[in-house]
Amino acid sequence: MRATVKDVARRAGVSPKTVSNVMNGIVPVSGPTRLRVEQAMAELDYVPNLSARGLRNGRSGVIGLALPDLATPFSAELAQSIVEVAHAQGFSVQIEETGSDPHREHELMTRARANLIDGLILNPVVLKESAVQMGVALPPVVLLGEVTQQLADRVFVDSFAAARDMTLALARPGRRRIAVLGVNRGRQSATAIQRAGGYEAALQTLGIAKDESLMISCDSWTPASAAESLAEYLDANPLPEALFCFTDSMALGALNTLWKRGVRVPDDIAVAGFDDVIDGRFAVPSLTTVSFDKRAIATHALRLLTERMSDRSHGQRLVEIDYTIEERDSSKA
Amino acid sequence: MRATVKDVARRAGVSPKTVSNVMNGIVPVSGPTRLRVEQAMAELDYVPNLSARGLRNGRSGVIGLALPDLATPFSAELAQSIVEVAHAQGFSVQIEETGSDPHREHELMTRARANLIDGLILNPVVLKESAVQMGVALPPVVLLGEVTQQLADRVFVDSFAAARDMTLALARPGRRRIAVLGVNRGRQSATAIQRAGGYEAALQTLGIAKDESLMISCDSWTPASAAESLAEYLDANPLPEALFCFTDSMALGALNTLWKRGVRVPDDIAVAGFDDVIDGRFAVPSLTTVSFDKRAIATHALRLLTERMSDRSHGQRLVEIDYTIEERDSSKA
DNA sequence: CCTGCACATTACATCGATGTAATGTGAGAC
DNA sequence: GTCTCACATTACATCGATGTAATGTGCAGG
């Protein structure tokens, strides 16, 4: 049987509440008493029951992290940052996958409300408005990425501007036939819309007519799907001068397809991605990408979350994370 | 204020316990009553408090997953499988990073004992025996990977045999100067020992004398570290005929270094990895690797864990996961 | 010597769900 | 009409930690 405060109290010859006081350190406890209690805790190998504490305090010390696809390197790096930052602040992280299923997102909110989670960091895909309806009795939520029409706090990179800048960078050496990979066929994700918008804006700036045939769709944002989509595309279309993939993962798939066909990168075609994942940095050739500080995302997301946990009143707050264009070998002129 | 069983009970005109009975479905409830309660729950938007339930039942419905480095694609893919399998069984997953810090592993056990998690799936690095001492009052633990001297349940791939087979495969076209990358300088990880052992066993079978200078050390199993280690190595040593990296992540870093130096893969050197991560499949060239079913690992780990949760008695159990050698472009003869 | 005050400590109630044991309610048998 | 018996439902206690309000202790000042 596990030791409880009661056991510790009995052994130390004090009341349970005093043991609690020693642990929490808010109510002062005299030196000798504190020592006796601490020794008793050590002797009994006492570990507080977090369920009980959570019930009493209304706080579990756990935050939820919900990402669309846990298998991607980007998810992994983001999760790492969030886990580390959260841990530094005494939080544990419960991880969830929303997948393509928008229903899951709602389910998560429910689970959060079940109080096993003090707050939720959510990277939505096709977030239905109904899912995060900021009504009453909802747990604190921080959204990651491009979502419109949501009233929750949000941390994001300006995908539109970044995509625009990347397109401009790809065009600089005089490239004009610039393709994008990652446009969705069916329902567009908010992110895809932003990035496609930035791309089109850049084309306009450059005085290049938009060419629908250069916008390659891709059902899922994975290397496999990207590789396949690009292969099919190249079977039917001429090689563009540059290819801007909406994520690094897709870019890696694209690089593989290009290599298989003997297309040289960057000599025959420049390639770029988005996210700056580690594997992109070590791709062959190393991948030009939109880079941003994932640790900063984690830090701000957690700050917003904890602040909202203690004060639910203030309105929606947005934090924009800077980005840079990292020109690597895959787009060297 | 959130609705509780009491509120639901009042609205439905029954006692709290009846509401509980409706939810749990073990004690039978008559049709009409059940309907009234369900309607009341819906109307009040009732969500059970999991802290309270956890306190009462001694179960939280959460399992912990502790991995050495969350940023790696392998971790991501494994985590995905585990989260999905766990979710299918009604468990949430709390994720933790042990990093290089063996102290963290012990801290996790403590947290587990704090009852916020019902069990722990742990992929140890340099697990000190003291960390997972299977004494009393420890939560159910399933270990992943190569660990010796541990009494906990374990799911693993036979790294020794796999490394041996991979080395033999690399040698098949007559390659004899086969290097390995991933030997640690200081304390060896159990995994590194197994894989190095398999490599040496293969050399012996092949009648090739072991050459210490072909065993390249690498401080951390990341692309960056691998790329750097290999670069330093190539500055001072001739090019081997084959390079077996102890993880795909390291192999990706190695491919990048080789490419930067104009070394052609597989023409000048064959390269192989271990883990079969997605990005390896789409590497340039696609990476030969040791493949195994990550979903199977997740399934078995969860089975062992849940079985031990309900019956703590039986002895240590081991599950071995099959592997295959996937020969891809990076080692084509 | 007593009052007053500061401060450490305690008894008790509480958070929400649920197992236990007891109660209530009905149908069916004689 | 009464007596069982089965079964749905209820009152109460409980899980472990902690806030609240009350109690106890010691010391200084009058």
Side-chain angles (χ1 to χ4, degrees), chain B residues 123-273:
Chain B
N123 183 2
V125 224
V126 201
L127 192 74
K128 308 174 77 166
E129 297 86 56
S130 57
V132 185
Q133 42 180 328
M134 301 313 285
V136 281
L138 277 184
V141 176
V142 173
L143 299 176
L144 301 182
E146 318 285 356
V147 197
T148 48
Q149 305 179 322
Q150 292 298 335
L151 297 174
D153 292 339
R154 187 154 64 88
V155 179
F156 67 101
V157 172
D158 187 344
S159 269
F160 183 97
R164 185 197 57 212
D165 291 356
M166 177 58 87
T167 306
L168 293 175
L170 287 171
R172 198 157 304 125
R175 302 185 186 106
R176 295 185 64 83
R177 299 193 60 254
I178 303 172
V180 286
L181 176 59
V183 181
N184 300 57
R185 237 187 295 272
R187 44 173 186 205
Q188 288 273 69
S189 78
T191 308
I193 293 171
Q194 291 296 315
R195 296 185 187 172
Y199 161 75
E200 290 175 23
L203 291 189
Q204 196 153 16
T205 304
L206 293 162
I208 301 177
K210 176 179 164 185
D211 180 352
E212 288 282 359
S213 77
L214 284 173
M215 302 183 73
I216 311 171
S217 70
C218 194
D219 292 327
S220 101
W221 284 11
T222 61
S225 179
E228 191 186 333
S229 297
L230 181 59
E232 281 174 15
Y233 178 83
L234 293 180
D235 284 342
N237 299 276
L239 189 70
E241 293 172 76
L243 176 65
F244 175 24
C245 306
F246 282 170
T247 67
D248 277 9
S249 274
M250 283 192 282
L252 295 179
L255 285 179
N256 183 266
T257 290
L258 292 169
W259 169 77
K260 268 193 190 143
R261 301 185 163 225
V263 178
R264 293 168 308 163
V265 178
D267 309 29
D268 300 335
I269 184 174
V271 175

Side-chain angles (χ1 to χ4, degrees), chain A residues 218-242:
Chain A
C218 193
D219 291 328
S220 101
W221 284 11
T222 61
S225 178
E228 191 186 333
S229 296
L230 181 60
E232 282 174 15
Y233 178 82
L234 292 180
D235 284 341
N237 298 275
L239 188 70
E241 294 172 77

Side-chain angles (χ1 to χ4, degrees), chain A residues 235-252:
Chain A
D235 284 341
N237 298 275
L239 188 70
E241 294 172 77
L243 176 65
F244 175 24
C245 306
F246 283 170
T247 67
D248 276 8
S249 275
M250 284 192 282
L252 295 179

Side-chain angles (χ1 to χ4, degrees), chain B residues 269-285:
Chain B
I269 184 174
V271 175
F274 201 116
D275 287 345
D276 193 12
V277 301
I278 295 172
D279 284 1
R281 203 169 301 175
F282 293 94
V284 172

Side-chain angles (χ1 to χ4, degrees), chain A residues 105-106 109 120 122 124 127-135 138 141 143 149-152:
Chain A
E105 289 172 3
H106 179 264
M109 303 296 301
L120 186 61
L122 176 62
L127 192 74
K128 308 175 77 166
E129 297 87 55
S130 56
V132 184
Q133 43 180 330
M134 301 313 284
L138 278 183
V141 176
L143 300 176
Q149 306 179 322
Q150 291 298 336
L151 296 175

